[in-house]
Amino acid sequence: MKRPTSQDVAKLAGVSRAVVSAVLNRTPGIRVSPDRRQAVLDAIAQLGYRVDAQARGMRTGRSRTIAAYGNLDNPMFLQVLQGAQQSCMQAGYQLLLYGKNGQPQEQEELLALYQERRIDGLLTKDTTGFADEAFAALVQQAGLPFISVEGYPDEVNVLSILMDYGESIRMALDYIWQRTGGYPVYIAAYHGKPGEPRWGDRHRLAAYEAWMGERGESPRIFRLSLDEPEALTELMAGLPQPSSVLCNWFAASALVYRAAAGLGLAVGRDLYVMSADNTAQANRYMVPSLSSIEVPYAQMGAAAAERVIRLAEGREPSDAPPKIWIPPRLAPGESV
Amino acid sequence: MKRPTSQDVAKLAGVSRAVVSAVLNRTPGIRVSPDRRQAVLDAIAQLGYRVDAQARGMRTGRSRTIAAYGNLDNPMFLQVLQGAQQSCMQAGYQLLLYGKNGQPQEQEELLALYQERRIDGLLTKDTTGFADEAFAALVQQAGLPFISVEGYPDEVNVLSILMDYGESIRMALDYIWQRTGGYPVYIAAYHGKPGEPRWGDRHRLAAYEAWMGERGESPRIFRLSLDEPEALTELMAGLPQPSSVLCNWFAASALVYRAAAGLGLAVGRDLYVMSADNTAQANRYMVPSLSSIEVPYAQMGAAAAERVIRLAEGREPSDAPPKIWIPPRLAPGESV
DNA sequence: CTGTTAGCGCGTTCAC
DNA sequence: GTGAACGCGCTAACAG
C-alpha cells in the first residue's frame, strides 16, 4: 500500500494526469467538464491522494513556504509568529522558523534557504530601529522577498512593518492625564552606558516633550541605567504624592515598583505608573497590575507575512509604500 | 545569470553529475579521487551552487524538515521551539511551525503535511497529561514519526518527553525547608470547577503528601479556585508568621502576592512563597522575585527534536524506552 | 471547447 | 568512476 500518485488518480478517474493537475490548480488553458472534474475529485478522495509538495515545488520553482527569523529568547517574537502563521495559513503557505543565535553565518544561511529553494520569502523580527544595510543589500541582490518587523525604519529601500512610538506616548499621556489630571515624569531606561537613544526611544522622547510643551509644562525626563537602579529611589523620594511616572520600557516599570516598595509607596495610590510597552507580558501579574501601551505584534506579524507572500507571488504593486504603520494599543491596568 | 545546477558544476569541474552528488553526500559505492573531489568543491564555490532542496527531496522522499505543533499563546512553547531549533540545526533539519488554533481539522492538516512530504516528523507541545488516543492512532497508522512534549504520560505506545513533577515538588520542599526550617502549606489552584486533578497535579500532590508524611507532618492542602481568589485572603489571615506556602502554579503565587499585599504581609519576611513552575516567565519581575521550580522546556524541546529526527531517519532502536524524563530545575528568588 | 501527448525540472542511485 | 533511468507533477503545443 504505497503512496498514491497523480498517475493513480488519473487511471482511476479515466483521465490523463494533465487533467488531474488542471482540476487541482484550475489551470488556465485546460478546461475540464463538470462530470470529469467530479470523477477526478472522487478518485482523489477515494485514494486519499495528496500532491507531493516537493515534486510540485520542483516543477514550479516555489516552495509556498516563508521563513521567520527572530530572537527566540524574546516572548514577543511568539506573537509575531502567531500573526504570521495566521496569514500563512490563509494563503496556503507554511512558516519555517529560524532562530537568531547571534552567529554571523546566520545571514548567509537565511540566504541559502532561498537559494536552496526552501523558502519563497523572509520575514525578520528585529529590534526597534535595527538596520543592517549590508544584509539588506545581500537580500536585495539575491532577489529574496523580504520584510522587517520593527527594523529599518529609515531605509526606504527596505520594506518594514512599524509601530508609531510617538503615538504610543501620546496615548499613554492622554490616558494618565484623563485619569489623574497630572503631568508625568518620563523615565528613559537604558542598558549599559548612556548612548544615543535608539529610533523608538527618540520618537518617544520627542513625543513626550511635544505633548508637555503643548500644555505649557516643562518636560521632566529622568535617564535611568538599568544597571544602577538605586538612582531611582532617590528620584522617587523627591517626588510629591501622588505623582505619575511614564516609563519607556517595562523593565523600568518593574524597577519603579521595586523602589516604591522600598519607600513604602503604594502604586496606584501614592504613585501612578505606566509602561510604554509590555515587552515581558508580565504586566497583569504585577501587583497592582501595570497599565501599559502594547505593541500589537501579532497584527504586525500578520501584516508582514501577508506582504511577503504578495511579494513572493509578484502581486505587490511596485509603487506600494515601503513602510506600513500599525497603531499602538492601550492596555489599562490598576497602576493608573 | 540564472541559478547554477549540478549540471553546471559538473561541466566546470569536468566530471559527471553523479560525482557532484557523490561529493556532496559522500555516497557509499562511489569513490572520488581527492583531486577530482577538490575540483568539484572549487566549481561549487565558484558558481555559488546550492542543491535544490525540492529536487533532492523529490528524489529521496524526505524533506529534512520536522513540524512543531503547539499553542502559540503559551510563552513556554517558545522555549520548546528554541530547543527544537537547536537540535534541528545540528542535524541539518528545518523546523516548520504549526500553531494550534483549536480547530478540529488541524490534526488532519498535520497528517497532510506528512502525506504531502513536507515534513518527516512531528513534535507536539501538549498540556501536562494530555492524551488524544484517536490522534495518536492516526499518526501511527500514517507512519508519521511523532513525539509529544508533556503529553501522553501513560500511553506506552506514544513517545514522550516528560518532566518528573513529583521530583519538582520534593526539590521545592527541600529548598524551603533548608532556607526556613518550615513545613509549607500546599496551594493547589485550578481553573473553573474543582475536578479530578490532572496528571501533573496528581503527582505533585502525592509528592507533597509523601514528603510531609516522611517527616511526621500532616499535609496541609488548600484547594483554590482561580475564579474566587478571595478565599485565599481568609486562608492567609489564619496563618502564623512567618509561614511558607508552595503553589502548584505560577498564577496561584501571583494571587498570594496580591492577598499578602492586602493583608500587609511582606513576602520574603512574613511569608515565604514558592511556585512549582514558571509558566508566565514573570517570576523575576515580581517584587520580591519569586523562587520557583522551572520546567526545562528548551531542553525538552531539544530532546524531542533529536528523537524525532532519529526516528525519521530510522536510527532509533526499536527497543528504546517510550518515555524520556527530564529533571526539573531550581530557580531561587527572593521570596524564600 | 475539451482534453492528450510529451517533455521538462534536477539531483540521486543502480548497474556496469 | 560513468551513463541512464527515475521520481512526480506541471504545462506548452497540439488534436479532436
Side-chain angles (χ1 to χ4, degrees), chain B residues 72 95 116 273 323 332:
Chain B
L72 291 174
L95 191 60
E116 292 167 357
V273 183
K323 308 299 176 193

Side-chain angles (χ1 to χ4, degrees), chain A residues 209-223:
Chain A
E209 288 172 341
W211 190 91
M212 293 290 272
E214 286 163 15
R215 284 153 184 80
E217 295 281 325
S218 59
R220 286 174 298 159
I221 296 166
F222 184 73
R223 306 202 70 209

Side-chain angles (χ1 to χ4, degrees), chain B:
Chain B
M1 181 166 137
K2 73 182 192 49
R3 239 182 77 86
T5 69
S6 71
Q7 186 72 269
D8 302 325
V9 174
K11 195 185 304 174
L12 181 57
V15 299
S16 67
R17 276 149 70 228
V19 172
V20 177
S21 176
V23 167
L24 255 33
N25 307 319
R26 58 186 182 4
T27 312
I30 301 190
R31 299 250 90 89
V32 184
S33 66
D35 48 345
R36 279 199 175 293
R37 163 182 220 82
Q38 192 54 51
V40 170
L41 293 175
D42 290 347
I44 287 175
Q46 187 180 331
L47 295 174
Y49 168 72
R50 297 279 180 180
V51 176
D52 183 326
Q54 318 238 28
R56 164 182 282 169
M58 176 172 160
R59 191 68 182 87
T60 62
R62 3 206 83 241
S63 58
R64 296 190 77 78
T65 302
I66 65 172
Y69 174 72
N71 186 346
L72 291 174
D73 289 328
N74 183 348
M76 295 298 107
F77 185 40
L78 195 59
Q79 306 214 27
V80 174
L81 292 176
Q82 189 163 25
Q85 227 258 326
Q86 200 77 18
S87 293
C88 282
M89 217 152 60
Q90 280 176 13
Y93 274 65
Q94 304 299 325
L95 191 60
L96 199 67
L97 183 64
Y98 201 97
K100 186 181 293 189
N101 285 312
Q103 288 162 18
Q105 69 207 29
E106 280 180 358
Q107 300 190 343
E108 288 177 31
E109 291 192 26
L110 284 173
L111 285 170
L113 285 178
Y114 182 58
Q115 285 153 349
E116 292 167 357
R117 292 199 139 115
R118 248 188 264 260
I119 59 171
D120 297 343
L122 171 66
L123 169 175
T124 64
K125 161 68 178 82
D126 296 306
T127 51
T128 309
F130 173 87
D132 180 339
E133 300 190 39
F135 178 64
L138 278 175
V139 164
Q140 190 147 26
Q141 187 191 347
L144 168 58
F146 167 55
I147 196 159
S148 164
V149 173
E150 296 228 284
Y152 305 89
D154 299 321
E155 322 280 320
V156 290
N157 294 323
V158 179
L159 306 187
S160 316
I161 307 289
L162 301 169
M163 195 195 75
D164 187 337
Y165 281 89
E167 175 60 21
S168 74
I169 290 299
R170 287 188 289 277
M171 197 176 260
L173 290 167
D174 287 343
Y175 176 74
I176 293 171
W177 196 86
Q178 172 204 326
R179 303 268 300 182
T180 73
Y183 300 97
V185 173
Y186 185 80
I187 297 185
Y190 57 90
H191 267 123
K193 302 204 177 80
E196 188 63 19
R198 295 183 170 282
W199 184 82
D201 272 334
R202 279 207 311 278
H203 286 254
R204 286 200 266 231
L205 261 175
Y208 172 72
E209 288 172 344
W211 190 93
M212 292 290 273
E214 286 163 16
R215 284 154 185 78
E217 294 282 325
S218 58
R220 287 173 297 159
I221 295 166
F222 184 74
R223 306 203 69 209
L224 170 68
S225 167
L226 292 172
D227 304 319
E228 297 164 4
E230 310 78 28
L232 198 54
T233 302
E234 288 173 35
L235 167 75
M236 287 169 49
L239 291 178
Q241 289 166 25
S243 286
S244 53
V245 302
L246 173 57
C247 302
N248 68 332
W249 206 35
F250 169 78
S253 302
L255 291 178
V256 168
Y257 270 56
R258 191 168 288 261
L263 291 168
L265 296 176
V267 172
R269 196 190 62 204
D270 307 325
L271 181 72
Y272 301 109
V273 183
M274 187 140 183
S275 169
D277 83 355
N278 65 335
T279 314
Q281 287 182 294
N283 307 36
R284 65 200 181 96
Y285 294 117
M286 306 292 283
V287 182
S289 62
L290 174 62
S291 300
S292 76
I293 301 296
E294 295 185 348
V295 184
Y297 282 113
Q299 218 179 311
M300 295 171 85
E306 206 180 306
R307 198 160 184 197
V308 166
I309 290 171
R310 266 212 306 281
L311 235 52
E313 295 184 344
R315 294 190 294 103
E316 177 88 344
S318 55
D319 60 345
K323 308 299 176 193
I324 291 181
W325 295 89
I326 306 282
R329 194 166 48 209
L330 176 69
E334 301 162 339
S335 64
V336 178

Side-chain angles (χ1 to χ4, degrees), chain A residues 11 32 35 54 57 65 72 88 114 116 140 144 147 155 157 161 166 177 196 211 217 220 258-259 268 277 290 298 334:
Chain A
K11 197 186 302 173
V32 184
D35 48 346
Q54 317 236 33
T65 301
L72 291 174
C88 282
Y114 182 58
E116 291 167 357
Q140 189 146 27
L144 169 57
I147 196 158
E155 322 281 318
N157 293 323
I161 308 289
W177 197 87
E196 188 63 18
W211 190 91
E217 295 281 325
R220 286 174 298 159
R258 191 167 287 262
D277 82 355
L290 175 62
E334 302 163 339

